[in-house]
Amino acid sequence: MIDFALDDRMEALREFLHGFAVDELRPRARAADVSGTVEPEVIARLGEMAGDRAAIVPSLRSDEGHDGPRSDGMVAVVGGEELAWGDAAMILNIPGPGLVGPSISSAGTPDQQRRFLAEIFDGAGPRFGALAVTEAQAGSDVSNLRTTAVRDGDEWVLNGTKVFCTNGARADVLVVNATIDPGAGRSGQRLFVVLKGTPGMAVGRIERKLGLTASETAELVFDGCRIPFDHIVGGEEALRPASGFKATLRAFDASRPGVAAMAIGIGRAAFDYVTEWSRTEIPRHARRRPFVEARLAATERDLAAARGLARRAAWMADNRIPNSKEASMAKASGPRAALRACVSAIEIMGPEGYSREHLVEKWFRDIKVYDIFEGTGQIQRVVIGRHILGRLD
Amino acid sequence: MDLRPTEEQQSLVEVLHDFAASEVRRAARACEEAGEVAGALRAALVEIGVSTGVAEAFGGQGTFDAVTGLMIAEELAWGDPGVAYSVLAPGVVASVLQRAATPEQQADLLPGLAAGGRAALALTEREAGADIFRMDTTADTGRLHGVKYAVPDPGPAGSLIVVAEGPSIWRVVTGAWAEAVAEDKLGLRSARTLKLGLDGMGAEEIGTGTDDVVAALLAAKLVTAGIALGLARAAVEYAAAYASERTAFGRPIGAFQGISFMIADRATDLDAARLLCWEAGWALDAARPGADRLVMAACGQAVAAAVAASDDAVQVLGGHGYMRDHPVELWYRDAMTLATLDAPWLIGDLFLAGRYQAGGLP
């Protein structure tokens, strides 16, 4: 039966995370943006506080092994929106599995889920996961990825260079996309787990960016990097030719709704901020009122519609309904709606909008990458188009 | 959260879709040219018994919740938006009565509607559009004063329900329809609609300003949103099918991203609008706080999706889309007409804007 209510657990999570965003993230947003870093003690504190949510929702791990409905997809969209509302760069500094979660939980064997997620959850101090796919010459065009994995006895040997990897330098567990058959294009691609400190892996440059400046974006160089054979995500099953790029795509199907929700959180931050600003300022600038009201109303509609797409995609994933098209719809629309929200906020506020006294200029910088990473808006449209039209080319 | 329709909803949608695909699509052009829905088509829908939801106590087959109402409107409008606008009019009135009228008024009017009787809700005005919170029509001591547009013609024997300031809902009991003029419109031409002068009509109050009245009128607005969804879906599907077949430069035109991205975007808009409409209907039936804002936002997104989808569908078909051999030009006209008579951007956004002002609701 059609029902849009979030269950009590999820409402409690949302309230908790909103409070967390208000108290812990938003106040640190500007300082982190300016310095481009977050202090280790803050990271540790974020990790401890985020750990408290285990009391409210079961973590990823407690969902494993069940065939019934899961909740991690909905946790990601409901939680992602609240946290990104607080600050999108800060949340990438909250210790946790990051994109390793969806990669391993959607494609890994039960044993891999236990072992590798334990590396993150059970280690001493703040621990991070990271997913490395993009290379300098290939983003959306995955068939052009060149990092190789060659089997040598009971080991894999990785060679290649990955770029734009969020938390790549600090990651305790890396999931790396590499090809086991360079001539095979997409179908040769597999995912591999590389643990921190593995010889043959080195951190290259740390990027300087337009936005999300306080988030670490790293280059990773693999030069004869040897990992155990059973670090191929999916285990022996993943060696079958048909397995192909599906594991990576499944990981993205699982993560895109949460990324869309984070974008919506940034858009909502700008919307809430400029709505509050308008309440006090517009009486003094009455000429702007019709423009302001029209922009705000359109923004409210846009964000509400995009939120529906993100929640639907997450609900489908949690109920094990294939959601590739719907996840792409969420990812294609959320960041655009949020960008429009940020543009409107700046335009409504005028010179105060571009001033660094307010956070809207930061949100405008932060939001842009959401239409690029995790699959650009354009590649999402390719996916949606193929679902509707079939493969025509 | 759960997005699975009930089995009942699924079978209802299947039955209606079959009917829309066979009967409504086939009759659509003829109805448009005649300027009204063919009697046989209307009778066939009454026979199916789903266009007007009336409680069993009043001789009907049961009422529909708002979400089911959206699904019904979408399927019929997928067949033809004008036909849907016309044949759903008695159902809109039945829904309004069951949410807002007294038991006596219900007992008086609903059995006739259950039996296939005609009725219409007179809502749209020149200044207010379909803004239920800014109606200019007055009803002092039961004498109506005002002019309504886009009123589905209820026929000489039909009941007329009028929305006036308050918002208030009135049932016309006396007075000739001397000032009724059939509208000659851009689109929705298969729905015969009236510009209706109300002056001199006598009316009986159904309700004023209560939560039930507001909810009844919001539910009525959602039906228009449902029609917009059906229109948008028809246009997206038609354009997608055409793009898979038509070739240019040696390939189906859908292989070019200039075309496939348009279709992907319109399909995404449509899904987003439908989810928002369902959420609004769910919130309305569950009497959730903020349901009114959701309805206003949903109506705006649905009509925007319809306008964009029909525009792009004509574009995808190119010159062929401009010709009356294909239905996309009809949907293009219907969408703009639907957008204008309900004016959801203006109204919904004015409503939403109220809370942005100093002292507005949080």
Side-chain angles (χ1 to χ4, degrees):
Chain A
M1 188 185 155
I2 308 292
D3 180 359
F4 285 82
L6 299 177
D7 63 33
D8 292 346
R9 231 175 32 148
M10 209 66 74
E11 283 290 359
L13 173 75
R14 183 164 70 162
E15 273 174 39
F16 167 73
L17 291 178
H18 187 73
F20 182 75
V22 169
D23 297 336
E24 303 290 333
L25 302 181
R26 188 66 71 82
R28 297 190 166 100
R30 177 58 80 185
D33 180 59
V34 171
S35 69
T37 56
V38 180
E39 302 88 337
E41 54 272 24
V42 173
I43 291 177
R45 177 170 164 71
L46 293 177
E48 280 166 29
M49 291 211 53
D52 289 352
R53 74 181 156 150
I56 299 168
V57 285
S59 72
L60 258 179
R61 287 187 299 167
S62 68
D63 278 342
E64 91 192 24
H66 297 289
D67 289 331
R70 306 151 52 125
S71 59
D72 47 312
M74 197 57 79
V75 167
V77 296
V78 171
E81 178 177 340
E82 291 310 321
L83 290 170
W85 180 93
D87 187 67
M90 292 293 299
I91 62 178
L92 297 172
N93 286 284
I94 298 177
L99 294 176
V100 165
S103 313
I104 293 188
S105 68
S106 63
T109 64
D111 175 59
Q112 288 175 332
Q113 294 182 23
R114 250 189 314 278
R115 277 163 62 208
F116 297 129
L117 292 176
E119 285 284 333
I120 293 164
F121 285 111
D122 300 343
R127 295 194 148 224
F128 290 88
L131 176 66
V133 177
T134 301
E135 298 174 12
Q137 81 289 347
S140 300
D141 179 12
V142 291
S143 62
N144 198 25
L145 292 171
R146 291 182 195 151
T147 296
T148 55
V150 176
R151 188 171 179 179
D152 182 16
D154 54 2
E155 286 183 323
W156 293 100
V157 184
L158 301 186
N159 280 291
T161 301
K162 296 291 181 182
V163 297
F164 307 158
C165 181
T166 300
N167 289 328
R170 60 163 61 136
D172 299 282
V173 178
L174 266 171
V175 171
V176 180
N177 181 278
T179 179
I180 57 173
D181 182 0
R186 288 159 52 101
S187 62
Q189 308 287 336
R190 297 293 185 279
L191 295 175
F192 297 88
V193 176
V194 181
L195 300 178
K196 189 173 198 164
T198 304
M201 177 181 75
V203 175
R205 60 181 277 180
I206 305 295
E207 303 288 345
R208 302 190 61 215
K209 311 189 293 296
L210 167 69
L212 295 185
T213 57
S215 160
E216 173 190 282
T217 305
E219 178 186 46
L220 297 168
V221 182
F222 299 91
D223 183 8
C225 177
R226 288 181 171 269
I227 55 174
F229 175 78
D230 67 359
H231 279 213
I232 183 168
V233 174
E236 291 274 354
E237 276 291 290
L239 292 180
R240 289 186 300 126
S243 169
F245 190 59
K246 282 179 190 158
T248 310
L249 290 183
R250 265 204 302 278
F252 283 129
D253 286 350
S255 67
R256 283 198 303 264
V259 175
M262 286 184 217
I264 292 163
I266 297 172
R268 199 185 99 211
F271 171 75
D272 287 349
Y273 194 88
V274 75
T275 300
E276 202 46 53
W277 184 89
S278 300
R279 284 209 183 100
T280 53
E281 294 299 316
I282 286 304
R284 286 191 265 145
H285 304 281
R287 274 179 298 176
R288 287 189 207 173
R289 173 171 284 170
F291 160 77
V292 168
E293 290 178 347
R295 280 297 186 87
L296 291 178
T299 302
E300 183 173 345
R301 283 196 277 120
D302 254 10
L303 291 175
R307 182 178 296 115
L309 288 174
R311 288 194 178 170
R312 173 178 70 169
W315 173 82
M316 291 174 77
D318 285 349
N319 285 276
R320 299 166 203 278
I321 302 168
N323 74 338
S324 175
K325 180 178 81 169
E326 291 78 9
S328 284
M329 284 182 163
K331 177 67 174 62
S333 79
R336 297 304 302 175
L339 175 60
R340 289 194 294 274
C342 294
V343 168
S344 288
I346 291 185
E347 291 181 353
I348 287 168
M349 292 174 67
E352 287 186 59
Y354 63 67
S355 164
R356 289 170 62 127
E357 268 179 55
H358 299 275
L359 284 168
V360 289
E361 64 81 25
K362 175 184 180 301
W363 292 323
F364 172 72
R365 288 183 287 114
D366 287 347
I367 190 60
K368 185 60 200 151
V369 79
Y370 286 77
D371 202 23
I372 298 170
F373 64 15
E374 292 281 299
T376 61
Q378 288 61 47
I379 206 70
Q380 308 304 338
R381 286 165 174 83
V382 169
V383 172
I384 299 163
R386 279 186 187 150
H387 275 280
I388 296 171
L389 299 167
R391 286 192 82 101
L392 296 172
D393 44 354
Chain B
M1 183 159 172
D2 187 2
L3 295 177
R4 267 176 290 250
T6 62
E7 279 179 27
E8 207 176 331
Q9 285 168 333
Q10 281 173 19
S11 58
L12 186 59
V13 163
E14 273 171 35
V15 167
L16 276 178
H17 186 73
D18 287 347
F19 183 80
S22 53
E23 306 300 320
V24 180
R25 278 277 168 99
R26 193 157 45 107
R29 273 294 179 193
C31 291
E32 185 195 39
E33 272 156 29
E36 60 188 353
V37 177
L41 188 62
R42 194 183 296 277
L45 259 170
V46 170
E47 191 68 28
I48 296 177
V50 293
S51 60
T52 304
V54 173
E56 287 169 17
F58 299 112
Q61 296 175 25
T63 56
F64 302 114
D65 56 56
V67 173
T68 308
L70 279 160
M71 293 174 178
I72 292 169
E74 177 175 338
E75 288 312 320
L76 286 176
W78 179 90
D80 184 73
V83 168
Y85 188 77
S86 180
V87 300
L88 288 172
V92 169
V93 169
S95 158
V96 165
L97 293 173
Q98 284 165 113
R99 285 171 185 270
T102 64
E104 293 74 25
Q105 287 166 331
Q106 294 188 22
D108 195 17
L109 289 168
L110 290 172
L113 294 178
R118 305 273 294 275
L121 184 72
L123 174 60
T124 300
E125 295 179 358
R126 183 181 176 139
E127 291 301 318
D131 185 349
I132 60 175
F133 298 105
R134 290 179 173 78
M135 293 276 108
D136 288 321
T137 293
T138 57
D140 275 342
T141 64
R143 306 305 292 180
L144 293 171
H145 173 66
V147 180
K148 293 291 185 180
Y149 292 76
V151 181
D153 185 356
S159 306
L160 187 63
I161 306 297
V162 173
V163 186
E165 63 180 359
S168 56
I169 305 175
W170 302 78
R171 168 193 177 191
V172 173
V173 288
T174 60
W177 299 11
E179 291 188 57
V181 179
E183 292 175 321
D184 187 7
K185 337 188 263 305
L186 167 71
L188 295 179
R189 292 180 67 88
S190 44
R192 182 178 151 85
T193 57
L194 307 174
K195 176 187 169 189
L196 191 59
L198 301 172
D199 289 8
M201 289 184 183
E204 170 191 296
E205 185 179 13
I206 288 175
T208 300
T210 64
D211 289 348
D212 285 344
V213 164
V214 171
L217 296 175
L218 290 172
K221 288 179 71 66
L222 270 183
V223 173
T224 309
I227 293 173
L229 294 175
L231 193 166
R233 194 178 103 214
V236 170
E237 286 180 6
Y238 202 92
Y242 187 86
S244 306
E245 287 166 9
R246 164 82 180 196
T247 59
F249 308 102
R251 295 200 284 172
I253 58 171
F256 297 102
Q257 293 175 342
I259 300 294
S260 67
F261 281 20
M262 271 201 277
I263 291 169
D265 284 343
R266 299 294 79 81
T268 302
D269 291 349
L270 166 61
D271 278 17
R274 184 188 295 111
L275 285 164
L276 199 52
C277 285
W278 285 4
E279 185 175 1
W282 163 80
L284 196 58
D285 281 339
R288 308 270 297 195
D292 48 1
R293 291 220 314 275
L294 277 170
V295 171
M296 294 298 186
C299 290
Q301 294 301 98
V303 169
V307 169
S310 58
D311 176 3
D312 280 356
V314 174
Q315 195 70 24
V316 167
L317 268 73
H320 294 287
Y322 205 72
M323 308 301 158
R324 291 173 60 103
D325 301 335
H326 293 277
V328 289
E329 65 82 26
L330 183 152
W331 296 328
Y332 177 79
R333 290 182 286 115
D334 286 352
M336 198 61 230
T337 306
L338 203 59
T340 310
L341 69 87
D342 193 58
W345 294 306
L346 181 68
I347 293 156
D349 289 4
L350 273 174
F351 176 84
L352 294 172
R355 66 185 274 271
Y356 309 136
Q357 294 172 11
L361 296 169

